Amino acid sequence: MNIPIEKCYGQGYDGGKNVQGEKIDFMNIPETLRFATATAAFQVEGAWNESDKGESVWDDFVHSKPERIVDGSTADEACDSYHLYKRDVEMLVELGVDYYRFSIAWTRLLPTGFPNKISVDGANYYNNLINELIKNNIKPIVTINHWDIPNVFQKIGGWTNVLLVDYFGDYARVVFELFGDRVKEWVTFNEPQIMCLFGYGEQVGIHGLAPDMQFNGIGEYLCLHNVLKAHAKAYHLYNDTFKPTQKGKLGTATYTSWGEPETDSVDDKENAEKFMHFMTGWYSHPIYSKDGDYPPIMRKIINKRSEIQGFKMSRLPAFTTEEIKYIKGTFDYMGINYYTGGVADTSRFNQTKVPSFENDMGFTSRQKVEWEKLIITWIRIYPEGFRKVINWMVKQYGNHEIYILENGFASERGINDDRRIKCYTNYLKSLLEAISDGCNVTLYTAWSLMDNFEWRSGYLNRMGLFEVDFNSPNKTRVPRKSASFYKELIKSRKLKINL
Ligand code: BGC
C-alpha cells in the first residue's frame, strides 16, 4: 500500500500551527488502521488495599524502598481509576478511539494470587469497566499482566521459579472465564524483557524495577524463560478451550528499541544487529520465528561465556524440543511497543560487571545526542527507528498482522504540549511509511490516556493525552492539546505533517 504525501487546506486545527486556509501536507490513514490509547493497572487504579485486594510486588517495592522512586511517591492512589473509571471512559469517548488497552491487577482479582479466592469486588470492577467501554462502542484490549505480580510469589523467587508458569495459567483461566465473552483482544504480558532485565537483573538508573532481585546475568534469563512458557500456556489454554466460542485474538507486547549502527563500519552494523537480537529477539524469536528458541547469536555467546566463566550449564536456560514447539507460533498478531533506539557503545562498556546481560551483549546501549531529549531519561525520540523496527520484525519473522501496543512521549506538567504533538506526528509518519513498505499494521496505541505513576519516575514525568492533577481529591483530568490532535487525527483520518 502506498500512502503518498498530499496537500490540502488547513481546517483550523487548534493544536498546532495550521490555521484556516493554510496549505498543508498530509498523509491519508488507511481504513485498516485502528486507534487506541492505553494504561496499566498499577499505574492508574490506586485503591491499592481496598476491599480484599492482595499486595503486588510493586506495592511492596514502593512501600519498602521509597528511596528508589525518584519523587518518593507511591501508586496508592495514582489516578484513582478504581473509582473514576467512568470518567476514564468519558475521556476515551471524547478522543473517539476504537480501543482501550488496560491491564488487570492479578491481586485485585485473585487476592491470594491463586484461584482459591476470586474477589467479588475485583471482578465487579473489571466487569463494570468492560461494560462501560462496550456501552460506549469502545473495544477492550486486556493485558493479563503488566509487571504487577502477587508479592507472595517472591517467597519462591518470583519469575525465576517455574511454578509461576502454572500459577499464571490458573489466573489466565479465571480471566478468560470471567471476561472472555466481551474481551476479544488479549495481551498476555507487557514487555517481559524490561520486567526481567531490570527487575531480576541489572538495576541501572531510572530502570530499577520491582522485585529488585539483582541476580545479574542469571535472574533475567530465568525470568524470561518462565514468562515465555507462561505466555505459551495462556495461548494454548485460550486457543484450545476458549477461542472456539469466544473467538478473540491473543498475543503479547514485545519491547522493541531500534539498534542503530553508529557508523557504516561492519563492526557497528554487526553490533546494531546484535542489539536487536538481545533486546527484541530474546522474547520475540522463541514465539515468532520459524525455528523457535532464542536467537542463535544469544545462544552462542551466552553458552560460550558461561563456560569460560566456569558455569556448569549455560546461564541462558535451554528449552526441550517439546518446549520449543509449544512456544513457537503462539500468537494471533505481533504486538510491538516502541519508544526509542540505541547505538552500541563499547567505550563506556564496563567489562567487570560479570556476569551480566550487558556483558553478554558486549556493549552498553547509548542514545544519540542528536535524538530529541525528553524529561524521562530512557527515551530520546527517534521516529525513523519506528519504521525500521517494524520492517525488521517483518523481515525476521514474516509479514504477520502487527499491533502497536504502546508509543508515546514524556513531558513536564502543562497542557500546551506542542512537542508531544510534533513527536506523535513524526512517529505516525514513520508508521505510515512502514505500512507503505508493506507491513500489515492494523492498530496504533498512544501511551498514555492520562498521566500516571511512571514506575521509578513517580509522577515527575507525564505521558498523558490528559493531564491529571494528582493533588486534587478527584484527580481532575484535563485534555492536553495533544488530546485534540489525536481526536482530530482519528476523526479526519489524515495525518498533517507540516506542523
Ligand atoms: C511501559 C509503560 C511505561 C512506558 C513509559 C513502557 O515500557 O510498558 O508501563 O509507562 O514504558 O516509560
Side-chain angles (χ1 to χ4, degrees):
M1 178 187 303
N2 180 27
I3 308 175
I5 294 175
E6 297 179 35
K7 292 201 181 293
C8 71
Y9 288 90
Q11 314 267 302
Y13 160 64
D14 62 357
K17 275 192 249 132
N18 290 316
V19 290
Q20 200 75 38
E22 187 187 344
K23 213 168 188 195
I24 52 174
D25 295 338
F26 73 91
M27 291 167 94
N28 280 313
I29 294 166
E31 265 313 307
T32 41
L33 183 66
R34 312 314 303 169
F35 289 95
T37 184
T39 60
F42 188 77
Q43 297 181 270
V44 298
E45 283 180 8
W48 79 280
N49 61 355
E50 191 149 327
S51 182
D52 49 1
K53 183 178 169 294
E55 192 188 40
S56 76
V57 283
W58 270 94
D59 291 320
D60 178 59
F61 187 62
V62 296
H63 294 144
S64 62
K65 299 185 178 169
E67 72 286 355
R68 302 295 295 280
I69 309 299
V70 176
D71 58 2
S73 61
T74 71
D76 293 358
E77 293 180 18
C79 308
D80 198 17
S81 287
Y82 183 70
H83 298 109
L84 299 170
Y85 71 92
K86 285 199 177 162
R87 170 69 185 126
D88 295 348
V89 177
E90 263 172 36
M91 286 144 56
L92 294 160
V93 171
E94 260 178 70
L95 292 173
V97 287
D98 307 292
Y99 291 91
Y100 178 45
R101 175 182 172 217
F102 64 93
S103 78
I104 293 180
W106 189 332
T107 52
R108 192 175 299 289
L109 193 60
L110 305 183
T112 64
F114 298 95
N116 63 332
K117 182 171 185 221
I118 299 175
S119 164
V120 173
D121 286 347
N124 280 345
Y125 169 64
Y126 295 111
N127 272 323
N128 290 340
L129 171 58
I130 292 166
N131 293 343
E132 189 72 11
L133 288 168
I134 290 174
K135 195 169 98 191
N136 285 284
N137 283 326
I138 297 164
K139 297 181 203 68
I141 300 178
V142 175
T143 311
I144 303 175
N145 183 244
H146 195 123
W147 301 355
D148 53 347
I149 67 166
N151 196 37
V152 70
F153 296 160
Q154 284 318 116
K155 292 185 180 163
I156 53 164
W159 277 114
T160 62
N161 192 327
V162 70
L163 278 174
L164 264 76
V165 175
D166 284 341
Y167 297 170
F168 181 77
D170 294 343
Y171 160 53
R173 181 185 290 277
V174 175
V175 168
F176 298 142
E177 274 167 358
L178 290 179
F179 312 121
D181 56 334
R182 287 149 295 153
V183 174
K184 303 299 164 197
E185 304 285 346
W186 297 102
V187 180
T188 52
F189 289 99
N190 181 70
E191 299 183 357
Q193 301 107 301
I194 299 301
M195 174 182 78
C196 293
L197 196 49
F198 302 116
Y200 291 77
E202 324 236 333
Q203 288 286 310
V204 278
I206 205 81
H207 281 315
L209 301 179
D212 193 23
M213 197 179 254
Q214 304 190 29
F215 189 13
N216 281 7
I218 296 174
E220 60 275 62
Y221 297 126
L222 284 173
C223 168
L224 201 108
H225 200 67
N226 290 326
V227 170
L228 276 163
K229 291 183 190 176
H231 158 78
K233 180 147 212 139
Y235 176 86
H236 289 294
L237 173 68
Y238 187 70
N239 212 44
D240 301 346
T241 312
F242 296 95
K243 200 177 188 181
T245 51
Q246 297 185 350
K247 301 195 188 314
K249 287 182 177 175
L250 183 142
T252 188
T254 303
Y255 172 81
T256 67
S257 172
W258 173 247
E260 178 85 350
E262 176 86 87
T263 68
D264 273 347
S265 76
V266 176
D267 275 2
D268 283 354
K269 283 190 185 153
E270 263 177 19
N271 277 341
E273 190 63 12
K274 208 202 246 184
F275 177 83
M276 291 304 297
H277 288 296
F278 266 74
M279 287 309 304
T280 300
W282 181 23
Y283 186 55
S284 300
H285 201 276
I287 300 174
Y288 304 130
S289 73
K290 276 207 308 302
D291 300 333
D293 205 351
Y294 294 114
I297 190 169
M298 280 188 86
R299 170 66 63 213
K300 192 169 148 212
I301 292 175
I302 303 168
N303 285 1
K304 181 90 195 290
R305 292 188 66 77
S306 304
E307 198 187 320
I308 294 169
Q309 290 158 357
F311 289 91
K312 288 280 174 255
M313 58 172 110
S314 176
R315 289 179 286 99
L316 184 67
F319 289 118
T320 63
T321 313
E322 286 71 43
E323 285 169 345
I324 290 175
K325 268 203 233 139
Y326 184 72
I327 295 168
K328 206 172 60 174
T330 51
F331 66 100
D332 295 317
Y333 60 84
M334 291 201 292
I336 294 179
N337 290 5
Y338 177 81
Y339 288 93
T340 189
V343 291
D345 187 344
T346 39
S347 65
R348 277 191 320 152
F349 172 51
N350 180 359
Q351 298 281 354
T352 57
K353 256 205 306 182
V354 180
S356 71
F357 181 87
E358 211 175 80
N359 195 275
D360 290 336
M361 192 162 66
F363 49 80
T364 202
S365 122
R366 171 176 55 76
Q367 300 191 305
K368 287 200 163 178
V369 278
E370 50 273 33
W371 297 347
E372 186 180 347
K373 195 169 189 281
L374 301 187
I375 175 176
I376 193 167
T377 52
W378 74 270
I379 305 178
R380 271 182 189 262
I381 298 298
Y382 184 48
E384 294 79 3
F386 201 7
R387 175 183 189 176
K388 295 178 188 176
V389 153
I390 297 169
N391 274 284
W392 188 87
M393 293 288 287
V394 167
K395 192 165 157 231
Q396 289 291 319
Y397 308 125
N399 202 355
H400 304 289
E401 184 172 14
I402 291 178
Y403 289 1
I404 304 302
L405 291 169
E406 272 184 47
N407 174 237
F409 179 92
S411 68
E412 285 154 0
R413 291 191 62 169
I415 58 167
N416 294 323
D417 57 345
D418 294 309
R419 275 182 76 202
R420 179 176 281 103
I421 294 173
K422 188 166 157 241
C423 175
Y424 270 126
T425 302
N426 291 334
Y427 276 142
L428 281 156
K429 178 167 176 282
S430 196
L431 173 84
L432 293 179
E433 284 163 355
I435 295 177
S436 283
D437 296 337
C439 305
N440 183 18
V441 184
T442 58
L443 180 84
Y444 175 82
T445 308
W447 184 273
S448 171
L449 169 63
M450 63 193 142
D451 297 340
N452 54 53
F453 181 79
E454 183 43 46
W455 310 110
R456 272 208 64 204
S457 326
Y459 300 103
L460 274 194
N461 59 56
R462 309 297 185 111
M463 300 198 73
L465 295 168
F466 283 73
E467 172 160 89
V468 177
D469 179 357
F470 292 101
N471 296 320
S472 67
N474 55 353
K475 313 287 176 200
T476 312
R477 289 111 154 98
V478 179
R480 291 205 161 96
K481 267 189 180 180
S482 55
S484 322
F485 160 83
Y486 203 44
K487 178 179 173 172
E488 161 73 17
L489 174 93
I490 295 169
K491 193 164 146 234
S492 68
R493 301 199 66 82
K494 283 189 192 327
L495 175 70
K496 294 167 187 170
I497 55 175
N498 54 349
L499 297 177

